Amino acid sequence: MKSTAAPILEVQELSKFFGPGCPQCIEATGPEQGNNVCDTCSTVVACHGVSFQLYEGEVLGIVGESGSGKSSLLKCMHLDEVPTFGSMYHREVGMGRMDLFQCSDQQKRAIRNKLLGIVYQSPHLGLRMELSAGANVAEPLLLQSLRPRFSPIRARIVELFSQVELPVSRLDEPVRYFSGGMQQRVQIARALAPSPSLLLLDEPTSGLDVSVQASVLDLIKRIQWDTGLPIVVVSHDLAAVRLLSQRILVMRHGRVVESGLTDQVFADPHHPYTQQLVASALS
Amino acid sequence: MKIKKKILLVRNLKKTFTMHLLASLKVEALNGLSFELEEGDFGVLVGPSGVGKSTVLQCIFRTYKPTSGEILYLTREGQWVDLARCEERNVLELRREEISYVTQFLHCPPRVPAEFVVAAPCVLQGRPLDQAVWEAREMLRRLRVPEKLWKAYPMTFSGGERQRVNLARAFISKPKLLLMDEPTASLDAKAIESVVEVLEDMKKGNTTVLAVFHDKGPIEPLVTRVVPLVPKSPGEKSHEGLCPARSYGQGVWR
């Protein structure tokens, strides 16, 4: 089989604590204990011991209720947060042997700008509302080159706008004039601008109404088709994750309680929490 | 006579569901099933409702994780892989390249035209989009899906039209192993006829089929192997010995 290639991304034993941390933290939290706050030192164990690999062309879904640690995990992966423990390797950084979390801040910025694209649930987090839509998409491109030139960047923005189905005529309007669904498309265009090798989506469709949700999902699916870009999508919307991903991790109280092929986890869930989750979903 | 290659060996397959929400109720769906298929076989699983026919298909496709046992499958590259245990990414690759599964229900993204839904597996196999769409249209034509529907969304189709889109999608990837779960349940006689024609062609192309059929009549001439599943009577411990290799094709198929 062809599946011998190295993974694009490997996350090993990633943990993120908010608080001082004590020797009891890990034992006192988790799905068995039913909470993610350590009784002894009040540390929040946002996620603990998360490991996975991501291969070319794969979409990995991370599902779980609010507070299960899925967004903390994604923030660590985008190098926005420094994890308490763990390491992460990217195929294109230091021959795949360099721990991204150990990089200098400067290296992290470069990695973020070049290799990682992110789309947040709220456009306010990912976009500068007072700037034009075009400027928002241009920003990562401007950061990439030492002597940016206007016309190639402008051309790239026009290309990205048509890729995400935004009207090119509105390129120079402030992004705050745009509707929620369009702002989400601007975020996607911005994330794709530097041709990243990994796209991170944090609840990309959660704030949108159903018709817009469907069109954004359709767009993500199409981008994935056209580019084969690996994607990690975090969402509590099971239907969206089911549609997008081939594999999923189910998180609860900061731990991965189950992982597997998406259709298998939905059809044959093993962990009590996953069974509850699947049984509660509106089909 | 040409000696046929074995391509699927199911050995002592067991599947038990534990329902944690119902006080850890255990439901035993399969208890030690064994059978094999040769290349080009058209196998049918038979037995009364609830005996685990669909469970067998889903274990092979890994929609269910088998509790124990082996599902050895011979890949196009000539390697034996245990589908019950192999890595997820290998399962994904096999699903993309070699193993298709059709259920009674079409699951597809909303607002994607039928011809693209059908072309998708081809594109994933690396064929260019226009060629994939052309092949998709040919398959939709063969299965008698009206041309005016090709650009419409399958979610708006009738049951039979949806099912034909579902079948077209599975046929188009030219699988080595095709799993089907009552694929003709919602089709009329004419549509079934066109499905049987495509299946005949696939059989000539050495596709191995394992299927569950509600209405056996129209596909009967294609069947080369019968895998009977026997319900577990109280006091009996396992299926083992009840469906040994020698009983294939004997009398159960009526």
Coordinates of all heavy atoms in Angstrom, one line a residue, chain A residues 1-5 53 55 58 185 211-212 214-215 217-218 221 224-225 242-243 246-247 258-261 263-265 267-272 275-276 279, chain B residues 15 17-21 58 61-65 75 77 79 81 87-97 108-112 116 119-120 123-124 129:
Chain A
M1 N 0.8 -1.2 0.0 CA 0.0 0.0 0.0 C 0.8 1.3 0.0 O 2.0 1.2 0.4 CB -0.9 0.0 1.2 CG -2.3 -0.6 0.9 SD -3.3 -0.7 2.3 CE -2.8 -2.2 3.0
K2 N 0.2 2.3 -0.5 CA 1.0 3.6 -0.6 C 1.2 4.3 0.8 O 2.0 5.1 0.9 CB 0.3 4.5 -1.5 CG 0.5 4.2 -3.0 CD -0.4 5.0 -3.9 CE -1.6 4.2 -4.3 NZ -2.7 5.0 -4.8
S3 N 0.3 3.8 1.7 CA 0.3 4.6 3.0 C 1.6 4.4 3.8 O 1.5 4.1 5.0 CB -0.9 4.1 3.8 OG -1.9 3.7 3.1
T4 N 2.7 4.7 3.2 CA 3.9 4.5 4.0 C 4.6 5.9 4.1 O 5.5 6.1 4.9 CB 4.9 3.6 3.2 OG1 4.9 3.9 1.9 CG2 4.6 2.2 3.5
A5 N 4.0 6.9 3.5 CA 4.6 8.3 3.5 C 4.5 8.8 5.0 O 3.7 8.4 5.8 CB 3.8 9.2 2.6
Q53 N -1.7 11.7 14.4 CA -0.9 12.0 13.2 C -1.9 12.4 12.2 O -3.0 12.0 12.1 CB -0.2 10.8 12.8 CG 0.9 10.3 13.8 CD 1.5 9.0 13.4 OE1 0.8 8.1 12.8 NE2 2.8 8.8 13.6
Y55 N -2.2 12.9 8.0 CA -1.5 12.6 6.7 C -2.0 13.4 5.6 O -3.1 14.0 5.7 CB -1.7 11.1 6.4 CG -1.0 10.2 7.3 CD1 -1.6 9.8 8.5 CD2 0.3 9.8 7.1 CE1 -0.9 9.0 9.4 CE2 1.0 9.0 8.0 CZ 0.4 8.6 9.1 OH 1.1 7.8 10.0
E58 N -5.8 14.5 4.4 CA -6.7 14.0 5.4 C -7.5 15.1 6.1 O -6.9 16.2 6.3 CB -6.0 13.2 6.5 CG -6.4 11.8 6.6 CD -5.6 11.1 7.7 OE1 -4.9 11.7 8.5 OE2 -5.8 9.9 7.8
R185 N -15.9 33.7 4.7 CA -15.2 33.4 3.4 C -13.9 34.3 3.3 O -12.9 33.8 2.8 CB -16.1 33.8 2.2 CG -17.2 32.7 2.0 CD -18.2 33.2 1.0 NE -19.4 32.3 1.1 CZ -19.5 31.2 0.4 NH1 -18.6 30.9 -0.5 NH2 -20.6 30.5 0.5
S211 N -28.5 27.9 5.7 CA -28.2 27.9 4.2 C -26.8 28.4 4.0 O -26.1 27.9 3.1 CB -29.2 28.9 3.5 OG -29.0 30.2 4.0
V212 N -26.3 29.4 4.8 CA -24.9 29.9 4.7 C -24.0 28.8 5.2 O -22.9 28.6 4.6 CB -24.8 31.2 5.5 CG1 -23.4 31.7 5.3 CG2 -25.8 32.2 5.1
A214 N -24.3 25.6 4.9 CA -24.2 24.6 3.9 C -23.2 25.1 2.8 O -22.4 24.4 2.3 CB -25.5 24.3 3.2
S215 N -23.3 26.4 2.5 CA -22.5 26.9 1.4 C -21.0 27.0 1.9 O -20.1 26.8 1.1 CB -23.0 28.2 0.8 OG -22.8 29.2 1.8
L217 N -19.6 25.0 4.2 CA -19.2 23.6 4.2 C -18.8 23.1 2.8 O -17.8 22.5 2.6 CB -20.3 22.7 4.8 CG -20.5 22.8 6.3 CD1 -21.7 21.9 6.7 CD2 -19.2 22.4 7.1
D218 N -19.7 23.5 1.9 CA -19.5 23.1 0.5 C -18.1 23.7 0.0 O -17.4 23.0 -0.6 CB -20.7 23.7 -0.3 CG -20.6 23.2 -1.7 OD1 -20.1 22.1 -2.0 OD2 -21.1 23.9 -2.6
K221 N -15.2 21.8 1.6 CA -15.1 20.5 1.0 C -14.5 20.6 -0.4 O -13.6 19.8 -0.8 CB -16.6 20.0 0.9 CG -16.7 18.5 0.5 CD -16.8 17.7 1.8 CE -16.5 16.2 1.4 NZ -16.0 15.4 2.4
Q224 N -10.8 21.4 -0.2 CA -10.1 20.1 0.2 C -9.9 19.2 -1.0 O -8.9 18.6 -1.2 CB -10.9 19.4 1.3 CG -10.0 18.8 2.3 CD -9.7 17.3 2.0 OE1 -10.6 16.7 1.4 NE2 -8.6 16.9 2.3
W225 N -11.0 19.1 -1.8 CA -11.0 18.4 -3.1 C -9.9 18.8 -4.0 O -9.1 18.1 -4.6 CB -12.3 18.6 -3.8 CG -13.2 17.5 -3.7 CD1 -13.5 16.8 -2.5 CD2 -14.0 17.0 -4.7 NE1 -14.5 15.9 -2.8 CE2 -14.8 16.0 -4.1 CE3 -14.2 17.3 -6.1 CZ2 -15.7 15.3 -4.9 CZ3 -15.1 16.6 -6.8 CH2 -15.8 15.6 -6.2
R242 N -19.1 15.4 10.5 CA -19.3 14.1 9.8 C -19.1 14.2 8.3 O -18.6 13.4 7.6 CB -20.7 13.6 10.2 CG -21.0 12.3 9.7 CD -22.4 11.9 10.2 NE -22.6 10.4 10.0 CZ -23.6 9.7 10.5 NH1 -24.5 10.3 11.2 NH2 -23.7 8.5 10.3
L243 N -19.6 15.4 7.8 CA -19.5 15.7 6.4 C -18.1 15.9 5.9 O -17.7 15.5 4.8 CB -20.4 16.9 6.1 CG -20.9 17.1 4.8 CD1 -21.9 16.0 4.5 CD2 -21.6 18.5 4.6
Q246 N -12.6 12.5 7.7 CA -12.5 11.0 7.5 C -12.2 10.4 8.9 O -12.6 9.2 9.1 CB -11.4 10.7 6.6 CG -11.7 11.0 5.1 CD -10.7 12.1 4.7 OE1 -9.6 12.2 5.1 NE2 -11.2 13.0 3.8
R247 N -11.5 11.1 9.7 CA -11.2 10.5 11.1 C -11.6 11.6 12.1 O -11.6 12.8 11.9 CB -9.7 10.3 11.2 CG -9.3 9.1 10.4 CD -7.9 8.7 10.8 NE -6.9 9.7 10.7 CZ -6.0 10.0 11.7 NH1 -6.0 9.3 12.8 NH2 -5.2 11.0 11.5
E258 N -12.2 8.8 22.6 CA -12.4 7.9 21.5 C -11.8 8.5 20.2 O -12.0 9.7 20.0 CB -13.8 7.5 21.3 CG -14.1 6.4 20.3 CD -15.4 5.7 20.5 OE1 -16.1 5.9 21.5 OE2 -15.7 4.8 19.6
S259 N -11.2 7.6 19.4 CA -10.8 8.1 18.1 C -11.1 7.0 17.1 O -11.1 5.9 17.4 CB -9.4 8.5 18.1 OG -8.6 7.4 18.2
G260 N -11.3 7.4 15.8 CA -11.5 6.4 14.8 C -12.0 7.0 13.5 O -12.0 8.2 13.4
L261 N -12.3 6.1 12.6 CA -12.9 6.6 11.3 C -14.2 7.2 11.6 O -15.0 6.7 12.4 CB -13.1 5.4 10.4 CG -11.8 4.6 10.0 CD1 -12.1 3.3 9.4 CD2 -11.0 5.4 9.0
D263 N -17.1 7.5 10.1 CA -18.4 6.7 10.0 C -18.4 5.6 11.1 O -19.5 5.2 11.6 CB -18.5 6.1 8.6 CG -17.4 5.2 8.2 OD1 -16.3 5.4 8.7 OD2 -17.6 4.3 7.4
Q264 N -17.2 5.1 11.4 CA -17.2 4.0 12.5 C -17.6 4.6 13.8 O -18.3 4.0 14.6 CB -15.8 3.3 12.5 CG -15.7 2.2 13.5 CD -14.8 2.6 14.7 OE1 -13.7 3.0 14.5 NE2 -15.4 2.5 15.9
V265 N -17.0 5.8 14.2 CA -17.4 6.3 15.5 C -18.9 6.7 15.5 O -19.5 6.5 16.6 CB -16.5 7.6 15.7 CG1 -17.0 8.3 17.0 CG2 -15.0 7.2 15.9
A267 N -21.3 5.1 13.8 CA -22.1 3.9 13.7 C -21.8 2.9 14.8 O -22.7 2.2 15.2 CB -21.8 3.2 12.3
D268 N -20.6 2.9 15.3 CA -20.3 1.9 16.3 C -19.4 2.6 17.4 O -18.2 2.3 17.6 CB -19.4 0.8 15.6 CG -19.1 -0.3 16.6 OD1 -19.7 -0.4 17.7 OD2 -18.1 -1.1 16.2
P269 N -20.0 3.6 18.2 CA -19.3 4.3 19.2 C -19.0 3.3 20.4 O -19.9 2.5 20.7 CB -20.2 5.4 19.6 CG -21.6 5.0 19.2 CD -21.4 4.0 18.1
H270 N -17.8 3.4 21.0 CA -17.5 2.5 22.1 C -17.6 3.1 23.4 O -18.0 2.6 24.4 CB -16.1 1.9 21.8 CG -16.1 0.9 20.8 ND1 -15.6 -0.4 20.9 CD2 -16.5 0.9 19.5 CE1 -15.8 -1.1 19.8 NE2 -16.3 -0.3 18.9
H271 N -17.1 4.4 23.5 CA -17.0 5.0 24.9 C -18.4 5.5 25.3 O -19.2 6.0 24.4 CB -16.1 6.2 24.8 CG -15.7 6.8 26.1 ND1 -16.5 7.7 26.7 CD2 -14.7 6.5 27.0 CE1 -16.0 8.1 27.9 NE2 -14.9 7.3 28.1
P272 N -18.8 5.4 26.5 CA -20.1 5.8 27.0 C -20.4 7.3 26.6 O -21.6 7.5 26.1 CB -20.0 5.7 28.5 CG -18.9 4.8 28.8 CD -18.0 4.8 27.7
Q275 N -21.3 7.4 22.9 CA -22.6 6.8 22.6 C -23.7 7.8 23.0 O -24.7 8.0 22.3 CB -22.8 5.5 23.5 CG -21.9 4.4 23.0 CD -22.2 3.1 23.6 OE1 -23.0 3.0 24.5 NE2 -21.6 2.0 23.1
Q276 N -23.4 8.5 24.1 CA -24.4 9.6 24.5 C -24.5 10.7 23.5 O -25.6 11.1 23.1 CB -24.0 10.1 25.9 CG -25.0 11.0 26.5 CD -24.4 11.7 27.7 OE1 -23.4 11.3 28.3 NE2 -25.1 12.8 28.1
A279 N -26.1 9.4 20.3 CA -27.6 9.2 20.5 C -28.3 10.5 20.7 O -29.5 10.6 20.4 CB -27.8 8.3 21.8
Chain B
K15 N -18.8 -10.0 16.8 CA -19.1 -8.6 17.0 C -20.1 -8.5 18.1 O -21.2 -9.0 18.0 CB -19.6 -7.9 15.7 CG -20.0 -6.5 15.9 CD -18.9 -5.6 16.3 CE -19.4 -4.2 16.8 NZ -18.3 -3.4 17.5
F17 N -22.0 -5.6 20.6 CA -22.2 -4.2 21.0 C -22.4 -4.0 22.5 O -23.2 -4.8 23.0 CB -23.4 -3.6 20.2 CG -23.2 -3.6 18.7 CD1 -23.7 -4.7 18.0 CD2 -22.6 -2.6 18.1 CE1 -23.5 -4.7 16.6 CE2 -22.4 -2.6 16.7 CZ -22.9 -3.7 16.0
T18 N -21.7 -3.1 23.1 CA -22.0 -2.8 24.5 C -22.7 -1.4 24.6 O -22.1 -0.4 24.1 CB -20.7 -2.7 25.3 OG1 -20.0 -3.9 25.0 CG2 -21.0 -2.7 26.8
M19 N -23.9 -1.4 25.0 CA -24.7 -0.2 25.1 C -24.6 0.4 26.5 O -25.3 0.0 27.4 CB -26.1 -0.4 24.7 CG -26.2 -1.0 23.3 SD -27.8 -1.3 22.7 CE -27.5 -2.0 21.1
H20 N -23.7 1.4 26.6 CA -23.5 1.9 27.9 C -24.6 2.7 28.5 O -24.8 2.8 29.7 CB -22.2 2.9 27.9 CG -21.0 2.1 27.6 ND1 -20.3 1.3 28.6 CD2 -20.2 2.0 26.5 CE1 -19.3 0.8 28.0 NE2 -19.2 1.2 26.8
L21 N -25.5 3.3 27.6 CA -26.6 4.1 28.0 C -27.7 3.2 28.6 O -28.6 3.6 29.2 CB -27.2 4.9 26.9 CG -26.2 6.0 26.3 CD1 -26.9 6.8 25.2 CD2 -25.7 6.9 27.4
Q58 N -20.6 -4.4 7.4 CA -20.1 -3.3 8.0 C -18.7 -3.6 8.7 O -17.9 -2.7 8.9 CB -21.1 -2.6 9.0 CG -22.3 -2.2 8.2 CD -23.2 -1.2 9.0 OE1 -22.8 -0.1 9.3 NE2 -24.4 -1.7 9.4
F61 N -16.2 -3.5 5.9 CA -15.9 -2.1 5.5 C -15.3 -1.3 6.7 O -15.0 -0.1 6.5 CB -17.2 -1.4 5.0 CG -17.0 -0.2 4.2 CD1 -16.3 -0.3 3.0 CD2 -17.5 1.0 4.6 CE1 -16.2 0.9 2.2 CE2 -17.3 2.2 3.8 CZ -16.7 2.1 2.6
R62 N -15.3 -1.8 7.8 CA -14.8 -1.2 9.1 C -15.7 0.0 9.6 O -15.2 0.8 10.3 CB -13.4 -0.7 8.9 CG -12.4 -1.7 9.5 CD -12.3 -1.6 11.0 NE -11.4 -0.7 11.6 CZ -10.0 -0.8 11.6 NH1 -9.4 -1.9 11.1 NH2 -9.3 0.1 12.1
T63 N -17.0 0.0 9.1 CA -17.9 0.9 9.8 C -18.1 0.4 11.2 O -18.4 1.2 12.1 CB -19.2 1.0 9.0 OG1 -18.9 1.2 7.6 CG2 -20.1 2.1 9.5
Y64 N -18.0 -0.9 11.4 CA -18.0 -1.5 12.7 C -16.6 -2.0 13.0 O -16.0 -2.5 12.1 CB -19.0 -2.6 12.8 CG -20.5 -2.3 12.8 CD1 -21.4 -3.3 12.5 CD2 -20.9 -1.0 13.1 CE1 -22.8 -3.0 12.5 CE2 -22.3 -0.7 13.1 CZ -23.2 -1.7 12.8 OH -24.5 -1.4 12.8
K65 N -16.2 -1.9 14.2 CA -15.0 -2.5 14.6 C -15.2 -3.9 15.2 O -15.9 -4.0 16.2 CB -14.4 -1.6 15.8 CG -13.0 -1.2 15.6 CD -12.5 -0.5 16.9 CE -11.5 0.6 16.6 NZ -11.4 1.6 17.7
T75 N -5.1 -7.4 -1.3 CA -5.1 -6.1 -2.0 C -4.7 -6.3 -3.5 O -4.2 -7.3 -3.9 CB -4.2 -5.1 -1.4 OG1 -2.9 -5.6 -1.5 CG2 -4.5 -4.9 0.1
E77 N -2.3 -5.0 -4.8 CA -0.8 -5.2 -4.9 C -0.4 -6.6 -4.4 O 0.8 -6.9 -4.3 CB -0.2 -4.1 -4.0 CG -0.2 -2.8 -4.7 CD 0.3 -1.7 -3.8 OE1 0.9 -1.9 -2.8 OE2 0.0 -0.5 -4.2
Q79 N -1.0 -8.0 -1.3 CA -0.7 -8.2 0.1 C -1.9 -8.6 0.8 O -3.0 -8.2 0.5 CB -0.3 -6.8 0.7 CG 1.1 -6.3 0.4 CD 1.2 -4.9 1.0 OE1 0.6 -4.0 0.5 NE2 2.0 -4.8 2.0
V81 N -4.2 -8.2 4.0 CA -4.4 -7.2 5.1 C -5.5 -7.7 5.9 O -6.6 -8.2 5.4 CB -4.8 -5.8 4.4 CG1 -5.0 -4.8 5.5 CG2 -3.8 -5.3 3.4
E87 N -4.5 -0.4 10.2 CA -4.5 1.0 10.5 C -5.6 1.8 9.8 O -5.9 1.5 8.6 CB -3.2 1.7 10.2 CG -2.2 1.6 11.3 CD -1.0 2.4 11.0 OE1 -1.1 3.7 10.8 OE2 0.1 1.8 10.9
E88 N -6.1 2.8 10.4 CA -7.2 3.6 9.8 C -6.9 4.2 8.5 O -7.7 4.2 7.5 CB -7.7 4.7 10.8 CG -8.5 4.2 11.9 CD -8.5 5.1 13.1 OE1 -8.0 6.2 13.0 OE2 -9.0 4.7 14.2
R89 N -5.6 4.7 8.3 CA -5.3 5.3 7.0 C -5.2 4.2 5.9 O -5.5 4.5 4.8 CB -4.1 6.1 7.1 CG -2.8 5.3 7.5 CD -1.8 6.3 8.0 NE -0.6 5.5 8.4 CZ 0.4 5.4 7.6 NH1 0.5 6.0 6.4 NH2 1.5 4.7 8.0
N90 N -4.9 3.0 6.3 CA -4.9 1.9 5.3 C -6.4 1.6 4.9 O -6.7 1.3 3.7 CB -4.3 0.6 5.8 CG -2.8 0.8 6.0 OD1 -2.2 1.6 5.4 ND2 -2.2 0.1 6.9
V91 N -7.3 1.6 5.9 CA -8.7 1.4 5.6 C -9.2 2.5 4.6 O -9.8 2.2 3.6 CB -9.6 1.4 6.9 CG1 -11.1 1.3 6.5 CG2 -9.2 0.3 7.8
L92 N -8.8 3.8 4.9 CA -9.2 4.9 4.1 C -8.7 4.7 2.6 O -9.4 4.9 1.7 CB -8.7 6.2 4.6 CG -9.4 6.7 5.9 CD1 -8.7 7.9 6.5 CD2 -10.9 7.0 5.6
E93 N -7.5 4.2 2.5 CA -6.9 4.1 1.2 C -7.6 2.9 0.5 O -7.9 3.1 -0.7 CB -5.4 3.8 1.3 CG -4.7 3.8 0.0 CD -3.3 3.2 0.0 OE1 -2.6 3.4 1.0 OE2 -2.9 2.6 -1.0
L94 N -7.9 1.8 1.2 CA -8.6 0.7 0.5 C -10.0 1.1 0.1 O -10.5 0.8 -1.0 CB -8.7 -0.5 1.5 CG -7.3 -1.2 1.7 CD1 -7.5 -2.3 2.8 CD2 -6.9 -1.9 0.4
R95 N -10.7 1.9 0.9 CA -12.0 2.4 0.6 C -11.9 3.3 -0.7 O -12.8 3.3 -1.5 CB -12.6 3.2 1.7 CG -13.1 2.4 2.9 CD -13.6 3.3 3.9 NE -14.1 2.7 5.1 CZ -14.7 3.3 6.1 NH1 -14.9 4.6 6.0 NH2 -15.1 2.6 7.1
R96 N -10.9 4.0 -0.8 CA -10.8 4.9 -1.9 C -10.4 4.1 -3.2 O -11.0 4.4 -4.3 CB -9.7 6.0 -1.7 CG -9.6 7.1 -2.7 CD -8.5 8.1 -2.2 NE -7.2 7.5 -2.2 CZ -6.4 7.6 -1.1 NH1 -6.8 8.2 0.0 NH2 -5.2 7.0 -1.2
E97 N -9.6 3.1 -3.1 CA -9.1 2.5 -4.3 C -9.7 1.1 -4.6 O -9.8 0.8 -5.7 CB -7.5 2.2 -4.1 CG -6.7 3.5 -3.8 CD -6.6 4.4 -5.0 OE1 -6.9 4.0 -6.1 OE2 -6.3 5.6 -4.8
C108 N -24.9 12.1 1.2 CA -24.0 13.0 0.4 C -24.1 14.4 0.9 O -25.1 14.8 1.5 CB -24.3 12.8 -1.0 SG -25.9 13.4 -1.5
P109 N -23.1 15.2 0.6 CA -23.2 16.6 1.1 C -24.4 17.3 0.4 O -24.7 17.0 -0.7 CB -21.9 17.2 0.6 CG -21.2 16.2 -0.2 CD -21.9 14.9 -0.1
P110 N -25.0 18.3 1.1 CA -26.1 19.0 0.5 C -25.6 19.9 -0.6 O -24.4 20.3 -0.6 CB -26.7 19.8 1.7 CG -25.5 20.0 2.6 CD -24.7 18.8 2.5
R111 N -26.5 20.3 -1.5 CA -26.2 21.2 -2.6 C -25.0 20.8 -3.4 O -24.2 21.7 -3.8 CB -26.0 22.6 -2.0 CG -27.1 23.0 -1.0 CD -27.4 24.4 -1.0 NE -26.3 25.3 -1.0 CZ -26.4 26.6 -0.7 NH1 -27.6 27.1 -0.4 NH2 -25.4 27.4 -0.8
V112 N -24.8 19.5 -3.7 CA -23.8 19.1 -4.6 C -24.6 18.4 -5.7 O -25.4 17.4 -5.4 CB -22.8 18.2 -4.0 CG1 -21.8 17.7 -5.0 CG2 -22.1 18.9 -2.9
F116 N -21.7 15.3 -9.8 CA -20.5 15.5 -9.0 C -20.5 14.5 -7.8 O -19.4 14.0 -7.5 CB -20.4 16.9 -8.5 CG -20.0 17.9 -9.5 CD1 -20.9 18.9 -9.9 CD2 -18.8 17.8 -10.2 CE1 -20.6 19.8 -10.9 CE2 -18.5 18.7 -11.2 CZ -19.4 19.7 -11.6
A119 N -19.2 11.5 -9.4 CA -17.9 11.6 -9.9 C -16.8 11.7 -8.8 O -15.7 11.4 -9.0 CB -17.7 12.9 -10.8
A120 N -17.3 12.0 -7.6 CA -16.3 12.2 -6.5 C -15.3 11.1 -6.3 O -14.1 11.3 -6.2 CB -17.1 12.5 -5.2
V123 N -12.6 11.3 -8.8 CA -11.7 12.4 -8.6 C -10.7 12.0 -7.4 O -9.5 12.3 -7.5 CB -12.4 13.7 -8.2 CG1 -11.5 14.8 -7.9 CG2 -13.4 14.1 -9.4
L124 N -11.2 11.4 -6.4 CA -10.4 11.0 -5.3 C -9.3 10.0 -5.7 O -8.3 9.9 -5.1 CB -11.2 10.4 -4.1 CG -12.1 11.5 -3.4 CD1 -13.0 10.8 -2.4 CD2 -11.2 12.5 -2.7
L129 N -11.1 16.0 -13.4 CA -12.5 16.3 -13.1 C -13.4 16.0 -14.3 O -14.5 15.4 -14.2 CB -12.7 17.7 -12.5 CG -14.1 18.0 -12.1 CD1 -14.5 17.2 -10.9 CD2 -14.3 19.5 -11.8

